[in-house]
Structures are given as structure tokens and as C-alpha cells.
Amino acid sequence: MLDESAELSVSITQIVQRLKGTHLHSQLEKQAKECLHKPEIKLETLKDDVRRLLKASGMTCLPPPRHPRAPPEHTKEPLAYMRKAQVNWEKRILKSLNSMCTELGIPLARKRPVPEQNELTNKWNEMGTDEPDLSKFRPVYAPKDFLEVLVGLKNPNNERSEDLTVRSHWGLIQVSLNVRDIPQTREMYPELGLTYGQLGIDDHTHVPPDLFESEHIHIGKKVVSEHDSAAAQQYSRQGCPTGLRAQLWSLILNTTDDPEAITHYEQLKARVIHHDLLVDNLIYKDVKLTASNDDYYFVFEDYLYQVLLCFSRDTAVLEHFNYNCATPPKSCIQSKSGSEQCAVVYPPNGVIPFHGFSMYVAPLCFLYNEPSKLYSVFREMYIRYFFRLHSLTNPLCVLSLCLQFERLLQTHLPQLFYHLREIGAQPLRIAFKWIVRAFSGYLSTDQLLLLWDRILGYDSLEIVAVLAAAVFAFRAENLMEVTSLASAEAVLADLSTLKVMPLLQIFLFATSV
């Protein structure tokens, strides 16, 4: 029989994930802290009490049915070929990291000498002025490498199946997943309808923009004053006013300025100062290659180093592996190379940064100027959403986003899709870099934040795939005239002038399918 404790752990993890972002979740957190001080709450019987409550409420039925002897990872990903692909991808990343370590003769981790600790402490707020030699370091992988893995995925049981339509072979993703079509997507996003007011929309509605914005700001202030997480989440579906966005996002994500959060950040900072990791160089390199060269984000270089270096040391991030089919990478940081006993999770947070990783943090720097608060918000955004953009097989992970993008475009603009495919410019090869970074670094910051409002509001990354399809629809006339992948990429090279909300509304609601 399956271990009951493991079953209970999976149940609790899934329940917590469903509750996150709701008013109930924040209420439960507060009550749990209060209960710890009550004499009738006994820690030695707490597990049995929780198990009994879950059984009585029926909530233990949340995990899907499986064979009693199936290991817990089968709940997170039931398909063997997908689990195998994930394992192979993880081995490839780890091999790349270890090879770099061997080639450069640099240890994965080392304790910094005291003078070096003092130097880093003194320049903590000016790390952007440091110019280390990063020429020998290379990103462990880039989004295009990950795309090739996704393209290579095929269900061995479906190779000769007749239920695969001809259209499914037009695209690069050949895995059969349930993704929403346009009518279902409209149902998912009713607040994007043409009759709803939206921040980021100047016309197209029956509500005058100035009148809507004034009333919307008034409601937003009320939501913030009441500290209602669920109300904040619903509110952000129509966009967050610039002056309220930071508070609203904190409410939705249940991040606080309490002393515990500040202390945790300071502890992580101390770990950075005391120990040097090989991945630190990958973080430096990524910031230099991306955010430092971006007109919007280069001024936040110091913040990015602070947040990402602390993030790499945060073992609390490992929590997301409880509901992520991926496993944290392990490596040997002692001299006993290859010994299983000396293998530890590396880096400590279980996340090996890739090219563009720092762009998950950069937009948040516009909202939070206190490093500990910025850190708390980013970490919560990562363990709820961003990890899905580089995980193979989670629900609404990057694989399903890619498939949905292709399906929406095939249904909405089949001639365009077929034309691009025929000239060797598969749409996903162009759109993948937008999707894997949730458009960070491609849209102007004000438009990107409007998009991320909706990610938080709908508690889903699906809107990213919808926007990617909408961009192709917007530039369809020009794309029909291109004759190569290079010319198609040129048409879509600059997205900085696009207005997100009109694109989404027109794509979903102003055309017939």
C-alpha cells in the first residue's frame, strides 16, 4: 500500500496550491499562527488531527486516482514518456554545469576568504560597478535549446493513432494535450470582453475611459484598505492602477513586510557573502547580457544581483518541487566526485539559471525599491508561475502554452499559419522566446505590467499564449508577404510599441471564428 504520510503530504500540497491567492488562504495563515499559542492545540497529535479532518471533509480525494503501488511522482506526471523526457533534460543541464566546472577548474562552491567577504559587504549596493571577467562562462542553456526538447516530445502510443487531425501536424508541438479553443478562452476571460472597462484601453468600450479609471482607482483603494486577497485578485483582471499595483500584487501573493521576511532576506544575504557559488557567475553573466543592455532595466542592475544571488541560496524555493514533476539537481561539491553520499542539491534553491532568467525579476524593480520586499514578491511569483515556463510537464506549463498558441493561430488564421510553415518560419520558433520570458524584455514595461496584472488576476499563464497569437494576428498582413524566417522575424522584431489590452480584446472578442 502507498505510504499514508506521503499521500497526506500530496493532498496538503495540492490544497495549499488551490487556496493560494484567495482571501481564505490569508485568513487560514493568520488563524494558524494564532492557534499555535492555544493550549488545546497539541503538536504531537497535529498530523493525526489534520488527517482526520481531511478524511471527514473529503478533500483527500484531490489527488487523481492511481495504482496503490504507484510512486508519488506519478501523481505529478502520470505519463512515463514525459517523466523520462524531464529526467533526460535535467541530466543534460547538470552535465553542462559540471562540464563547465571541470573545464574552468572552478569549484561549484567555496567559502570566501574574510577579505573577500568584507569587500562584498562593502559593495553590496554597488555590485553593478564590478566588472569580473565572465568571458569563459556561458549560459547553461538558452530558450532555443529548451524548445528543441519540446519539439522532440512524442507520445509513443499516438504514433499511428487516427485521432490526430491533419492540422495537429502543422505545428511543432506533437503532443496531445487539452488546451482551450477560442470560445473556451473567451469564457475563461469574460472581463476582457468589449463591454468591460479596462486599464490600458482608450476606446472600444461603452464606458468613457476617464470615468472608468476614476471609479476603478476608487475601488482599488478600498480593496487595499480592506486587505482582501481574493478581492485584489478579481480586481486585477481589469488592470491595476500604477500607484496601487505594488500593494495589490503583494495582497494577491500574500507577501508581507513582517520582521520574519526581512530576517530571512538578511540570512540569505549572509550566505551570499560567506560562500561563493559557480552559479553566481552565471547570474552575473545573464544580467550583463540581458537587463544591463535593456533601456528599461539597466538602472536596476544592483537590485538584480542582490535578489538573484539571494534566490540561489533560498532552500524555501524547493517547496515548488512538491507539485512540480521536475526534481532539484544534485551535484558533488566535495572531493569524492561521483559519490552518492556527497551529492547535495545544487544550487541550494534547486534552480539552475538559464539565459534570460534575470528578466523574471527586472519588471518587479519598478514596483518595489526595498530589496527584501522585492525579493519576497519575486520568490512568490517564481514558485507560483515562472517555474512553469521552464518545466516540461506541469499543468499549464510551457508545453501546453506552446500548443495553445499554435492551436489558436491555426484556428484563427489558418492561411497565415500554413504560409509561415511553408517558408520555414514556424510561428512557435519566433514566439517561444516571448512565451518563456512571459514577454519580459519585449513589451514596454507599462504594457508588460498590464499583462502580468492578468496573470495574477486569473492565476494562470495562459494569457501569455493568447497574447503571442494576438501579436501574429495584428501583424498578419505583413507576415503574409514574407518569404523567409529572417524576414518574418524582422516583422516581429520590435514589440515595444504594441498595446496589450486592445490586442487581446480584438483577438478574442472582435472577430468571428
Side-chain angles (χ1 to χ4, degrees):
M1 291 296 290
L2 185 69
D3 179 68
E4 193 173 351
S5 295
E7 186 75 33
L8 178 64
S9 177
V10 171
S11 295
I12 291 174
T13 299
Q14 294 197 12
I15 292 167
V16 169
Q17 282 308 302
R18 291 191 179 196
L19 287 175
K20 273 193 172 179
T22 67
H23 184 45
L24 178 59
H25 182 267
S26 57
Q27 286 180 319
L28 287 172
E29 276 189 329
K30 290 177 183 176
Q31 289 186 17
K33 289 178 182 178
E34 292 171 3
C35 284
L36 288 175
H37 303 290
K38 293 182 178 180
E40 61 268 28
I41 301 297
K42 296 180 173 60
L43 292 178
E44 57 269 22
T45 63
L46 187 59
K47 184 180 288 187
D48 291 334
D49 293 340
V50 170
R51 184 183 290 113
R52 188 165 53 251
L53 176 62
L54 288 174
K55 285 183 177 179
S57 66
M59 294 186 83
T60 49
C61 65
L62 274 175
R66 63 171 187 261
H67 191 278
R69 293 184 181 177
E73 59 265 24
H74 288 208
T75 297
K76 296 187 283 185
E77 175 49 65
L79 297 175
Y81 77 95
M82 295 287 259
R83 292 197 303 274
K84 182 179 179 182
Q86 178 69 41
V87 169
N88 289 339
W89 172 239
E90 290 169 6
K91 287 180 178 176
R92 178 176 162 185
I93 296 171
L94 197 56
K95 182 179 179 182
S96 177
L97 183 70
N98 287 328
S99 295
M100 193 186 314
C101 175
T102 303
E103 289 169 16
L104 302 180
I106 297 175
L108 289 172
R110 69 177 179 92
K111 187 172 182 178
R112 298 184 195 273
V114 174
E116 194 175 316
Q117 292 182 28
N118 295 333
E119 183 185 0
L120 182 55
T121 302
N122 293 332
K123 69 176 184 183
W124 181 257
N125 294 318
E126 299 175 349
M127 283 191 280
T129 61
D130 198 15
E131 291 291 339
D133 181 13
L134 301 170
S135 58
K136 296 179 181 179
F137 294 94
R138 61 183 185 277
V140 175
Y141 71 95
K144 63 180 181 180
D145 303 315
F146 190 40
L147 176 59
E148 294 311 315
V149 175
L150 300 181
V151 170
L153 282 172
K154 288 182 175 59
N155 186 343
N157 299 322
N158 269 354
E159 287 182 357
R160 298 182 181 179
S161 175
E162 294 180 1
D163 68 347
L164 290 176
T165 64
V166 173
R167 184 173 290 173
S168 72
H169 291 285
W170 288 13
L172 293 174
I173 304 300
Q174 295 296 304
V175 175
S176 180
L177 298 172
N178 288 325
V179 294
R180 290 187 179 93
D181 57 21
I182 287 181
Q184 291 169 331
T185 306
R186 287 171 177 164
E187 290 179 14
M188 171 70 179
Y189 302 103
E191 293 85 358
L192 298 185
L194 299 175
T195 58
Y196 282 77
Q198 295 282 338
L199 289 187
I201 296 282
D202 297 326
D203 47 25
H204 302 300
T205 71
H206 70 289
V207 182
D210 292 341
L211 180 61
F212 166 75
E213 186 170 346
S214 176
E215 178 63 18
H216 194 57
I217 291 173
H218 175 72
I219 296 170
K221 289 178 179 178
K222 186 176 180 181
V223 169
V224 169
S225 68
E226 293 180 354
H227 301 284
D228 191 329
S229 179
Q233 188 168 40
Q234 179 67 34
Y235 176 88
S236 70
R237 294 182 177 190
Q238 291 177 272
C240 296
T242 303
L244 298 175
R245 181 175 280 121
Q247 293 166 283
L248 289 163
W249 283 22
S250 293
L251 261 179
I252 297 168
L253 296 168
N254 288 308
T255 58
T256 63
D257 288 321
D258 61 29
E260 289 181 18
I262 297 171
T263 300
H264 182 63
Y265 174 77
E266 291 299 325
Q267 289 171 340
L268 295 172
K269 175 181 172 181
R271 292 175 196 172
V272 175
I273 290 169
H274 289 144
H275 288 87
D276 178 31
L277 304 182
L278 174 65
V279 294
D280 294 352
N281 296 287
L282 301 181
I283 290 169
Y284 275 107
K285 182 91 171 185
D286 186 57
V287 172
K288 293 292 185 188
L289 290 176
T290 56
S292 295
N293 294 321
D294 191 288
D295 291 341
Y296 292 104
Y297 304 123
F298 71 94
V299 294
F300 301 122
E301 190 173 351
D302 294 328
Y303 279 165
L304 294 176
Y305 293 135
Q306 292 168 7
V307 168
L308 288 167
L309 290 174
C310 286
F311 182 72
S312 67
R313 272 78 169 172
D314 195 348
T315 55
V317 177
L318 295 171
E319 169 200 329
H320 83 279
F321 288 104
N322 292 332
Y323 46 91
N324 179 357
C325 72
T327 54
K330 288 188 175 183
S331 196
C332 217
I333 60 173
Q334 302 297 328
S335 57
K336 301 176 184 177
S337 181
S339 171
E340 194 66 34
Q341 286 75 19
C342 71
V344 297
V345 173
Y346 183 88
N349 69 344
V351 182
I352 297 175
F354 55 89
H355 179 61
F357 191 83
S358 59
M359 297 305 286
Y360 291 150
V361 186
L364 302 176
C365 296
F366 276 94
L367 304 183
Y368 306 97
N369 55 21
E370 177 57 45
S372 62
K373 184 66 174 177
L374 171 62
Y375 179 78
S376 297
V377 170
F378 165 64
R379 186 182 68 183
E380 195 62 31
M381 288 284 285
Y382 181 83
I383 63 178
R384 288 198 197 188
Y385 305 111
F386 295 149
F387 83 88
R388 300 179 188 278
L389 296 173
H390 57 96
S391 294
L392 221 56
T393 64
N394 290 90
L396 273 187
C397 67
V398 71
L399 182 64
S400 60
L401 294 178
C402 290
L403 182 60
Q404 182 165 28
F405 161 74
E406 290 193 325
R407 293 275 175 85
L408 288 173
L409 208 53
Q410 288 168 4
T411 304
H412 204 66
L413 292 163
Q415 286 181 306
L416 173 63
F417 197 103
Y418 185 76
H419 167 68
L420 292 174
R421 177 182 177 275
E422 288 301 291
I423 64 169
Q426 278 278 10
L428 184 57
R429 293 207 178 276
I430 300 170
F432 187 72
K433 59 182 181 290
W434 310 335
I435 294 172
V436 84
R437 283 186 7 192
F439 279 94
S440 180
Y442 297 102
L443 298 172
S444 63
T445 304
D446 62 322
Q447 296 300 307
L448 179 73
L449 295 175
L450 286 168
L451 175 67
W452 285 15
D453 284 342
R454 276 68 183 189
I455 291 175
L456 287 164
Y458 292 98
D459 192 30
S460 171
L461 286 161
E462 188 178 24
I463 196 75
V464 172
V466 178
L467 178 61
V471 171
F472 273 78
F474 179 67
R475 297 274 170 86
E477 188 174 335
N478 301 100
L479 288 170
M480 285 299 293
E481 298 176 0
V482 302
T483 57
S484 67
L485 173 60
S487 53
E489 288 177 327
V491 169
L492 296 166
D494 184 10
L495 308 186
S496 62
T497 59
L498 296 183
K499 300 295 182 183
V500 165
M501 299 320 300
L503 280 184
L504 288 169
Q505 282 197 315
I506 292 169
F507 181 74
L508 283 177
F509 294 97
T511 52
S512 58
V513 178

